Amino acid sequence: MSENKTLFQAFKETSFKTNGHGNRNAGVLKEAFEHVPSELESDMYGSGKVIEDFQTKMADMLGKEASVFFPSGTMAQQIALRIWCDEKGTKKVAYHPLSHLEIHEEDGLKELHGIEAVLLADKDRIITLEDVQEMEDEAAAILLELPQREIGGQLPDFGTLQSISDHCRDKGIFLHLDGARLLEVLPYYQKTAAEICALFDSVYISVYKGIGGIAGAVLAGDEAFIKKSKVWKRRHGGDLISLYPYIISADHYLDQRAGKMEKYYRNAREFAQFYNNCTRVVTRPEVPVSNMFHVHYDAAADSLEEILIEVYEKTGVGLSGYLRETSDSSCYYEVSIGDLYDTIPKEDLEEAFQLLNDRLKQM
Amino acid sequence: MSENKTLFQAFKETSFKTNGHGNRNAGVLKEAFEHVPSELESDMYGSGKVIEDFQTKMADMLGKEASVFFPSGTMAQQIALRIWCDEKGTKKVAYHPLSHLEIHEEDGLKELHGIEAVLLADKDRIITLEDVQEMEDEAAAILLELPQREIGGQLPDFGTLQSISDHCRDKGIFLHLDGARLLEVLPYYQKTAAEICALFDSVYISVYKGIGGIAGAVLAGDEAFIKKSKVWKRRHGGDLISLYPYIISADHYLDQRAGKMEKYYRNAREFAQFYNNCTRVVTRPEVPVSNMFHVHYDAAADSLEEILIEVYEKTGVGLSGYLRETSDSSCYYEVSIGDLYDTIPKEDLEEAFQLLNDRLKQM
């Protein structure tokens, strides 16, 4: 990320931010604990009502026998893949070239577990049934990320998911869902979480993306799988004496936001249109399939930065705090719609895009 | 742990508990956050004022160039040992047979890092200079736990520590401090944390033992070591987007309790005498060298349990919620002195031990 302090500063000072649920500050924790009695007992190394109740709730929601709360998705997913590799007696798994495991985890899967990755599909597109069918390597498991975040949050249709799942079951390949943003894709599929998860042997969901908790992840699967995952959780140093600060926050914001995913999705589609009506701008995907998309500019980052700062300062609407360069003359940023979008007066949003479009035309 | 619900229940219902700082409940978090402004920004994947300031504070306290906050000591210590193994190009480290790594981590060091353990000393005693001198295996690092928790919190004298440190430096063996309870041993040594840590290449300290935070650990060492540890922290899945619930609590309770370790130590010595004046009871060590010790009973767990329940119910003083059997006719539990000890009226404590001793004599 080529994060520019100036753009970041101008963004921070805006009154209205189009992305997310609000600042990630101590207020998020304080709100979640406001009505929690002081007497509520901590979990203890994975036991206790506070963690067990939430794990049961999440297992039910995901339609799996059991679930376990992890401090991070990085830990949860490496462990899921390790268990499937041990089950198959092979050290290979397959996933997208822009999977979180491939680009954000310092090769943890390889360095800690000795597992090699088979990269499916090209960087620019999602994994298809053909990619899976044509895979020559004997991978123990395939990881599918829904939506594929690093390409703007793209999705296969439900029929493709079913076909991939059927293929994997035929071939004895375990199928793992990187569902960091699982709830966020349900409105597009018009399915329940359990209906999506039924296609997968194991599922990870983040509690701080659309849900907006503080940190943490849930891994779900059958009883035997979850039992093994708890042993690996301890090995990784993830079996903390107390995880309740994350669990209680996750539960609080899940209840608050699980029913809002349809609205975030609708707002993302509306918002993408604002962008796509501007010259030199295209969103990816053009029509969002979740609450997220990427905004690609056919403009050099330093020129665009000046324009964005002007927009932020004149309209009070903040679109992004950073730009990622894709070439000398193009750049992009990510949009994730949450609670904040509906707090922006429509006329301010329209004014911001009017100014943005005017300036882009003048380039 | 042979945890008996009845004893545990009777213990829970007592008015005065002799161990620890109080219940591990949501009140611990709420107190720490009471005066924290909602606007305080979260840390972000290891960056940000809240984590950086605390890391600097801890590095200064420990007399090291840098430190990093980890979600757990399990993660911090495996990583420290892995870094030293990589540095030396060998996959062996040495520690006590009852080290946390050997008995509480499901073999994470071996399963994740492929590192073999050389066990120094016998289970029943602490590591001596001779154990280190006579070690035949080429270990990259030695881990010393101060105090050695599983044998009641025993300590070598400072001269022995110095000699072990000198020997390791001579031989090019890295020396790592498992200082989970580091602050708790300073009154015995009459040294600062930095003076103890100067003997070690890397140091881990827990923030939820004597300090009484919620969870978390700090790893300290030189800049190059800490830089590497952050890469491994990410690989392990410990580089959470937000660790502030643990950091702010750690900081709050560190400020509150760092100055009380001398008092905990004095109280532990006083309290051990209460035990040692009873028949069939001996503490280990007999004279505590920190805030902790083990209480060994020459009595069968089921008989002792009845006696303890009577003591708890008649005097309102709770000594332990569990018993660990060491044979058919002996058992023990652990004592860690914290804030609660001084809240117990002395006459109640004396009454409890009078009754305990009477009943033990009648056995």
Side-chain angles (χ1 to χ4, degrees), chain B residues 242-287:
Chain B
S242 296
L243 282 165
Y244 74 83
Y246 298 138
I247 296 167
I248 286 171
S249 312
D251 199 22
H252 176 80
Y253 293 108
L254 175 69
D255 288 350
Q256 203 170 97
R257 299 200 175 108
K260 292 186 180 174
M261 298 294 160
E262 177 78 39
K263 192 204 273 184
Y264 301 153
Y265 170 53
R266 275 204 315 269
N267 284 344
R269 286 191 297 179
E270 173 188 289
F271 192 38
Q273 280 186 338
F274 275 100
Y275 278 112
N276 287 312
N277 288 338
C278 293
T279 190
R280 293 175 179 270
V281 185
V282 63
T283 68
R284 189 188 196 195
E286 195 180 337
V287 179

Short mmCIF file of all heavy atoms in Angstrom, two decimals, chain B residues 242-287:
data_model
loop_
_atom_site.label_atom_id
_atom_site.label_comp_id
_atom_site.label_asym_id
_atom_site.label_seq_id
_atom_site.Cartn_x
_atom_site.Cartn_y
_atom_site.Cartn_z
N SER B 242 -6.34 -6.09 16.10
CA SER B 242 -6.45 -5.31 17.35
C SER B 242 -6.09 -6.16 18.55
O SER B 242 -6.75 -7.17 18.81
CB SER B 242 -7.90 -4.81 17.53
OG SER B 242 -8.27 -3.92 16.52
N LEU B 243 -5.08 -5.73 19.26
CA LEU B 243 -4.73 -6.39 20.52
C LEU B 243 -5.00 -5.47 21.72
O LEU B 243 -4.70 -5.82 22.86
CB LEU B 243 -3.25 -6.81 20.50
CG LEU B 243 -2.93 -8.08 19.70
CD1 LEU B 243 -1.43 -8.21 19.44
CD2 LEU B 243 -3.42 -9.33 20.42
N TYR B 244 -5.58 -4.30 21.45
CA TYR B 244 -5.69 -3.30 22.53
C TYR B 244 -6.48 -3.75 23.76
O TYR B 244 -6.18 -3.29 24.87
CB TYR B 244 -6.20 -1.96 21.99
CG TYR B 244 -7.66 -1.89 21.64
CD1 TYR B 244 -8.63 -1.65 22.61
CD2 TYR B 244 -8.11 -2.07 20.33
CE1 TYR B 244 -9.98 -1.59 22.29
CE2 TYR B 244 -9.44 -2.01 20.00
CZ TYR B 244 -10.39 -1.77 20.98
OH TYR B 244 -11.71 -1.73 20.67
N PRO B 245 -7.49 -4.64 23.62
CA PRO B 245 -8.16 -5.05 24.86
C PRO B 245 -7.18 -5.65 25.87
O PRO B 245 -7.30 -5.44 27.08
CB PRO B 245 -9.19 -6.08 24.40
CG PRO B 245 -9.47 -5.71 22.97
CD PRO B 245 -8.14 -5.24 22.43
N TYR B 246 -6.19 -6.38 25.37
CA TYR B 246 -5.20 -6.99 26.25
C TYR B 246 -4.12 -5.99 26.67
O TYR B 246 -3.62 -6.02 27.79
CB TYR B 246 -4.52 -8.17 25.56
CG TYR B 246 -5.49 -9.29 25.20
CD1 TYR B 246 -5.42 -9.95 23.98
CD2 TYR B 246 -6.47 -9.71 26.10
CE1 TYR B 246 -6.29 -10.98 23.67
CE2 TYR B 246 -7.35 -10.73 25.79
CZ TYR B 246 -7.25 -11.37 24.56
OH TYR B 246 -8.12 -12.38 24.26
N ILE B 247 -3.73 -5.13 25.74
CA ILE B 247 -2.63 -4.19 26.01
C ILE B 247 -3.04 -3.16 27.05
O ILE B 247 -2.29 -2.89 28.00
CB ILE B 247 -2.20 -3.49 24.69
CG1 ILE B 247 -1.63 -4.52 23.72
CG2 ILE B 247 -1.19 -2.38 24.99
CD1 ILE B 247 -1.46 -4.00 22.30
N ILE B 248 -4.20 -2.59 26.87
CA ILE B 248 -4.65 -1.55 27.82
C ILE B 248 -4.86 -2.15 29.20
O ILE B 248 -4.50 -1.53 30.22
CB ILE B 248 -5.92 -0.86 27.27
CG1 ILE B 248 -5.50 0.06 26.12
CG2 ILE B 248 -6.64 -0.07 28.38
CD1 ILE B 248 -6.64 0.65 25.34
N SER B 249 -5.39 -3.36 29.26
CA SER B 249 -5.56 -4.03 30.56
C SER B 249 -4.20 -4.32 31.18
O SER B 249 -4.01 -4.14 32.39
CB SER B 249 -6.32 -5.34 30.39
OG SER B 249 -7.47 -5.16 29.61
N ALA B 250 -3.27 -4.79 30.37
CA ALA B 250 -1.93 -5.10 30.88
C ALA B 250 -1.29 -3.84 31.46
O ALA B 250 -0.72 -3.87 32.56
CB ALA B 250 -1.07 -5.66 29.75
N ASP B 251 -1.39 -2.76 30.73
CA ASP B 251 -0.78 -1.51 31.16
C ASP B 251 -1.42 -1.02 32.46
O ASP B 251 -0.73 -0.60 33.40
CB ASP B 251 -0.96 -0.47 30.05
CG ASP B 251 0.00 0.69 30.19
OD1 ASP B 251 1.04 0.52 30.86
OD2 ASP B 251 -0.29 1.77 29.65
N HIS B 252 -2.75 -1.09 32.50
CA HIS B 252 -3.49 -0.64 33.69
C HIS B 252 -3.05 -1.41 34.94
O HIS B 252 -2.77 -0.82 35.98
CB HIS B 252 -4.98 -0.84 33.43
CG HIS B 252 -5.86 -0.50 34.59
ND1 HIS B 252 -6.21 0.79 34.91
CD2 HIS B 252 -6.45 -1.29 35.53
CE1 HIS B 252 -6.99 0.79 35.97
NE2 HIS B 252 -7.15 -0.45 36.38
N TYR B 253 -3.00 -2.73 34.84
CA TYR B 253 -2.71 -3.54 36.02
C TYR B 253 -1.21 -3.59 36.33
O TYR B 253 -0.82 -3.80 37.48
CB TYR B 253 -3.34 -4.93 35.89
CG TYR B 253 -4.85 -4.85 35.93
CD1 TYR B 253 -5.62 -5.07 34.80
CD2 TYR B 253 -5.51 -4.50 37.11
CE1 TYR B 253 -7.01 -4.96 34.84
CE2 TYR B 253 -6.90 -4.38 37.16
CZ TYR B 253 -7.63 -4.62 36.02
OH TYR B 253 -9.01 -4.50 36.07
N LEU B 254 -0.39 -3.40 35.31
CA LEU B 254 1.05 -3.29 35.57
C LEU B 254 1.32 -2.08 36.47
O LEU B 254 2.04 -2.18 37.47
CB LEU B 254 1.82 -3.14 34.25
CG LEU B 254 3.32 -2.89 34.38
CD1 LEU B 254 4.04 -4.14 34.91
CD2 LEU B 254 3.94 -2.48 33.04
N ASP B 255 0.73 -0.95 36.11
CA ASP B 255 0.92 0.26 36.92
C ASP B 255 0.40 0.05 38.34
O ASP B 255 0.98 0.56 39.30
CB ASP B 255 0.18 1.44 36.29
CG ASP B 255 0.86 1.92 35.01
OD1 ASP B 255 1.99 1.46 34.74
OD2 ASP B 255 0.27 2.73 34.27
N GLN B 256 -0.68 -0.70 38.45
CA GLN B 256 -1.30 -0.92 39.76
C GLN B 256 -0.49 -1.88 40.62
O GLN B 256 -0.48 -1.76 41.84
CB GLN B 256 -2.69 -1.51 39.50
CG GLN B 256 -3.69 -1.32 40.59
CD GLN B 256 -5.07 -1.74 40.11
OE1 GLN B 256 -5.50 -2.86 40.36
NE2 GLN B 256 -5.76 -0.86 39.39
N ARG B 257 0.14 -2.88 39.99
CA ARG B 257 0.69 -3.99 40.79
C ARG B 257 2.21 -4.15 40.75
O ARG B 257 2.75 -4.91 41.57
CB ARG B 257 0.04 -5.31 40.35
CG ARG B 257 -1.47 -5.31 40.57
CD ARG B 257 -2.07 -6.68 40.62
NE ARG B 257 -3.49 -6.61 40.93
CZ ARG B 257 -4.49 -6.85 40.07
NH1 ARG B 257 -4.22 -7.19 38.82
NH2 ARG B 257 -5.75 -6.76 40.46
N ALA B 258 2.90 -3.49 39.83
CA ALA B 258 4.35 -3.69 39.75
C ALA B 258 5.00 -3.37 41.10
O ALA B 258 5.94 -4.05 41.53
CB ALA B 258 4.95 -2.82 38.64
N GLY B 259 4.47 -2.39 41.79
CA GLY B 259 5.04 -2.00 43.08
C GLY B 259 4.60 -2.87 44.25
O GLY B 259 5.03 -2.66 45.39
N LYS B 260 3.73 -3.82 43.99
CA LYS B 260 3.20 -4.65 45.09
C LYS B 260 3.89 -6.01 45.21
O LYS B 260 3.50 -6.82 46.05
CB LYS B 260 1.70 -4.89 44.89
CG LYS B 260 0.84 -3.65 45.04
CD LYS B 260 -0.64 -4.06 44.96
CE LYS B 260 -1.58 -2.89 45.11
NZ LYS B 260 -2.98 -3.31 44.88
N MET B 261 4.85 -6.28 44.34
CA MET B 261 5.44 -7.62 44.32
C MET B 261 6.17 -7.96 45.62
O MET B 261 6.16 -9.10 46.07
CB MET B 261 6.40 -7.76 43.12
CG MET B 261 5.71 -7.60 41.76
SD MET B 261 4.54 -8.94 41.39
CE MET B 261 3.51 -8.15 40.12
N GLU B 262 6.78 -6.94 46.22
CA GLU B 262 7.46 -7.12 47.50
C GLU B 262 6.45 -7.58 48.56
O GLU B 262 6.71 -8.50 49.35
CB GLU B 262 8.09 -5.78 47.92
CG GLU B 262 8.78 -5.78 49.27
CD GLU B 262 10.16 -6.42 49.23
OE1 GLU B 262 10.89 -6.22 48.25
OE2 GLU B 262 10.49 -7.15 50.20
N LYS B 263 5.27 -6.96 48.54
CA LYS B 263 4.23 -7.31 49.50
C LYS B 263 3.71 -8.75 49.25
O LYS B 263 3.52 -9.53 50.18
CB LYS B 263 3.08 -6.31 49.40
CG LYS B 263 2.10 -6.43 50.54
CD LYS B 263 0.74 -5.91 50.18
CE LYS B 263 0.61 -4.41 50.42
NZ LYS B 263 -0.76 -3.94 50.15
N TYR B 264 3.50 -9.09 47.98
CA TYR B 264 3.04 -10.45 47.66
C TYR B 264 4.05 -11.49 48.17
O TYR B 264 3.69 -12.54 48.68
CB TYR B 264 2.84 -10.65 46.15
CG TYR B 264 1.85 -9.72 45.48
CD1 TYR B 264 1.97 -9.40 44.13
CD2 TYR B 264 0.78 -9.17 46.18
CE1 TYR B 264 1.06 -8.55 43.50
CE2 TYR B 264 -0.14 -8.31 45.56
CZ TYR B 264 0.03 -8.02 44.21
OH TYR B 264 -0.86 -7.18 43.59
N TYR B 265 5.32 -11.16 47.96
CA TYR B 265 6.41 -12.05 48.38
C TYR B 265 6.42 -12.23 49.89
O TYR B 265 6.47 -13.36 50.41
CB TYR B 265 7.74 -11.46 47.87
CG TYR B 265 9.00 -12.08 48.38
CD1 TYR B 265 9.21 -13.46 48.30
CD2 TYR B 265 10.03 -11.29 48.92
CE1 TYR B 265 10.40 -14.02 48.77
CE2 TYR B 265 11.21 -11.86 49.37
CZ TYR B 265 11.39 -13.22 49.30
OH TYR B 265 12.57 -13.77 49.74
N ARG B 266 6.34 -11.11 50.61
CA ARG B 266 6.29 -11.19 52.09
C ARG B 266 5.08 -11.99 52.55
O ARG B 266 5.18 -12.85 53.43
CB ARG B 266 6.19 -9.77 52.69
CG ARG B 266 7.52 -9.07 52.87
CD ARG B 266 7.43 -7.99 53.97
NE ARG B 266 6.21 -7.18 53.85
CZ ARG B 266 6.12 -6.05 53.15
NH1 ARG B 266 7.17 -5.60 52.50
NH2 ARG B 266 4.98 -5.38 53.11
N ASN B 267 3.94 -11.72 51.92
CA ASN B 267 2.72 -12.43 52.31
C ASN B 267 2.82 -13.93 52.01
O ASN B 267 2.31 -14.75 52.76
CB ASN B 267 1.51 -11.83 51.61
CG ASN B 267 1.09 -10.50 52.23
OD1 ASN B 267 1.50 -10.17 53.34
ND2 ASN B 267 0.28 -9.73 51.51
N ALA B 268 3.47 -14.26 50.91
CA ALA B 268 3.63 -15.68 50.56
C ALA B 268 4.46 -16.38 51.64
O ALA B 268 4.15 -17.51 52.04
CB ALA B 268 4.30 -15.83 49.19
N ARG B 269 5.50 -15.70 52.13
CA ARG B 269 6.32 -16.33 53.17
C ARG B 269 5.54 -16.50 54.47
O ARG B 269 5.61 -17.54 55.13
CB ARG B 269 7.61 -15.51 53.39
CG ARG B 269 8.58 -15.72 52.22
CD ARG B 269 9.95 -15.16 52.52
NE ARG B 269 9.85 -13.70 52.71
CZ ARG B 269 10.88 -12.93 53.00
NH1 ARG B 269 12.08 -13.46 53.16
NH2 ARG B 269 10.72 -11.63 53.14
N GLU B 270 4.76 -15.48 54.79
CA GLU B 270 3.91 -15.58 55.98
C GLU B 270 2.90 -16.72 55.83
O GLU B 270 2.72 -17.55 56.73
CB GLU B 270 3.17 -14.26 56.21
CG GLU B 270 2.15 -14.32 57.35
CD GLU B 270 1.30 -13.05 57.42
OE1 GLU B 270 1.82 -12.01 57.81
OE2 GLU B 270 0.09 -13.13 57.07
N PHE B 271 2.27 -16.75 54.69
CA PHE B 271 1.20 -17.72 54.44
C PHE B 271 1.75 -19.16 54.45
O PHE B 271 1.12 -20.08 54.96
CB PHE B 271 0.54 -17.40 53.11
CG PHE B 271 -0.74 -18.13 52.85
CD1 PHE B 271 -1.67 -18.36 53.87
CD2 PHE B 271 -1.06 -18.57 51.56
CE1 PHE B 271 -2.87 -19.03 53.62
CE2 PHE B 271 -2.25 -19.22 51.30
CZ PHE B 271 -3.15 -19.46 52.33
N ALA B 272 2.95 -19.33 53.89
CA ALA B 272 3.57 -20.67 53.88
C ALA B 272 3.77 -21.18 55.30
O ALA B 272 3.63 -22.38 55.57
CB ALA B 272 4.89 -20.63 53.11
N GLN B 273 4.06 -20.26 56.21
CA GLN B 273 4.24 -20.66 57.61
C GLN B 273 2.95 -21.23 58.20
O GLN B 273 2.98 -22.21 58.93
CB GLN B 273 4.71 -19.48 58.46
CG GLN B 273 6.21 -19.24 58.30
CD GLN B 273 6.71 -18.16 59.25
OE1 GLN B 273 5.95 -17.33 59.72
NE2 GLN B 273 8.01 -18.18 59.50
N PHE B 274 1.83 -20.58 57.87
CA PHE B 274 0.53 -21.13 58.31
C PHE B 274 0.42 -22.60 57.91
O PHE B 274 0.02 -23.45 58.69
CB PHE B 274 -0.63 -20.36 57.66
CG PHE B 274 -1.04 -19.11 58.39
CD1 PHE B 274 -0.60 -17.87 57.96
CD2 PHE B 274 -1.87 -19.19 59.51
CE1 PHE B 274 -0.99 -16.71 58.63
CE2 PHE B 274 -2.26 -18.04 60.18
CZ PHE B 274 -1.81 -16.79 59.74
N TYR B 275 0.78 -22.88 56.69
CA TYR B 275 0.70 -24.26 56.19
C TYR B 275 1.71 -25.16 56.90
O TYR B 275 1.38 -26.26 57.34
CB TYR B 275 0.93 -24.31 54.68
CG TYR B 275 -0.30 -24.00 53.86
CD1 TYR B 275 -0.38 -22.84 53.09
CD2 TYR B 275 -1.38 -24.88 53.83
CE1 TYR B 275 -1.51 -22.56 52.33
CE2 TYR B 275 -2.51 -24.60 53.07
CZ TYR B 275 -2.57 -23.45 52.32
OH TYR B 275 -3.68 -23.18 51.57
N ASN B 276 2.93 -24.68 56.98
CA ASN B 276 3.99 -25.53 57.51
C ASN B 276 3.82 -25.84 59.00
O ASN B 276 4.40 -26.80 59.52
CB ASN B 276 5.36 -24.93 57.22
CG ASN B 276 5.73 -25.05 55.75
OD1 ASN B 276 5.60 -26.13 55.16
ND2 ASN B 276 6.16 -23.96 55.13
N ASN B 277 3.00 -25.02 59.68
CA ASN B 277 2.69 -25.30 61.08
C ASN B 277 1.65 -26.40 61.24
O ASN B 277 1.39 -26.85 62.35
CB ASN B 277 2.20 -24.03 61.78
CG ASN B 277 3.32 -23.03 61.99
OD1 ASN B 277 4.50 -23.42 62.00
ND2 ASN B 277 2.99 -21.76 62.13
N CYS B 278 1.05 -26.83 60.16
CA CYS B 278 0.06 -27.90 60.22
C CYS B 278 0.75 -29.26 60.06
O CYS B 278 1.75 -29.38 59.36
CB CYS B 278 -0.96 -27.76 59.08
SG CYS B 278 -2.01 -26.31 59.23
N THR B 279 0.16 -30.25 60.69
CA THR B 279 0.66 -31.60 60.51
C THR B 279 0.29 -32.10 59.11
O THR B 279 -0.71 -31.63 58.53
CB THR B 279 0.08 -32.54 61.60
OG1 THR B 279 0.77 -33.78 61.53
CG2 THR B 279 -1.40 -32.77 61.42
N ARG B 280 1.10 -33.02 58.60
CA ARG B 280 0.86 -33.61 57.27
C ARG B 280 0.97 -32.62 56.10
O ARG B 280 0.55 -32.94 54.99
CB ARG B 280 -0.54 -34.25 57.19
CG ARG B 280 -0.74 -35.46 58.07
CD ARG B 280 -2.18 -35.94 58.00
NE ARG B 280 -2.38 -37.13 58.82
CZ ARG B 280 -2.23 -38.39 58.38
NH1 ARG B 280 -1.88 -38.61 57.14
NH2 ARG B 280 -2.43 -39.40 59.19
N VAL B 281 1.46 -31.41 56.37
CA VAL B 281 1.55 -30.41 55.30
C VAL B 281 2.97 -29.88 55.18
O VAL B 281 3.63 -29.64 56.20
CB VAL B 281 0.63 -29.19 55.57
CG1 VAL B 281 0.64 -28.23 54.38
CG2 VAL B 281 -0.79 -29.64 55.88
N VAL B 282 3.43 -29.74 53.96
CA VAL B 282 4.71 -29.06 53.73
C VAL B 282 4.60 -28.22 52.46
O VAL B 282 3.95 -28.65 51.49
CB VAL B 282 5.88 -30.08 53.67
CG1 VAL B 282 5.72 -31.03 52.49
CG2 VAL B 282 7.23 -29.37 53.58
N THR B 283 5.15 -27.04 52.51
CA THR B 283 5.12 -26.23 51.29
C THR B 283 6.41 -26.43 50.52
O THR B 283 7.45 -26.78 51.09
CB THR B 283 4.94 -24.72 51.59
OG1 THR B 283 6.12 -24.23 52.21
CG2 THR B 283 3.71 -24.46 52.44
N ARG B 284 6.33 -26.19 49.26
CA ARG B 284 7.47 -26.35 48.37
C ARG B 284 7.58 -25.12 47.52
O ARG B 284 6.66 -24.88 46.75
CB ARG B 284 7.24 -27.58 47.51
CG ARG B 284 8.42 -28.00 46.70
CD ARG B 284 7.98 -29.10 45.77
NE ARG B 284 9.11 -29.81 45.22
CZ ARG B 284 9.02 -30.60 44.18
NH1 ARG B 284 7.85 -30.80 43.61
NH2 ARG B 284 10.08 -31.19 43.69
N PRO B 285 8.60 -24.30 47.60
CA PRO B 285 9.67 -24.41 48.59
C PRO B 285 9.14 -24.13 50.00
O PRO B 285 8.09 -23.53 50.13
CB PRO B 285 10.66 -23.33 48.15
CG PRO B 285 9.92 -22.40 47.27
CD PRO B 285 8.75 -23.12 46.71
N GLU B 286 9.92 -24.55 50.98
CA GLU B 286 9.45 -24.36 52.35
C GLU B 286 9.37 -22.86 52.65
O GLU B 286 8.38 -22.39 53.23
CB GLU B 286 10.38 -25.06 53.35
CG GLU B 286 9.72 -25.19 54.72
CD GLU B 286 10.61 -25.89 55.74
OE1 GLU B 286 11.52 -26.65 55.33
OE2 GLU B 286 10.41 -25.66 56.94
N VAL B 287 10.40 -22.14 52.26
CA VAL B 287 10.35 -20.67 52.34
C VAL B 287 10.24 -20.14 50.91
O VAL B 287 11.17 -20.27 50.12
CB VAL B 287 11.62 -20.11 53.01
CG1 VAL B 287 11.55 -18.58 53.05
CG2 VAL B 287 11.80 -20.70 54.39
#
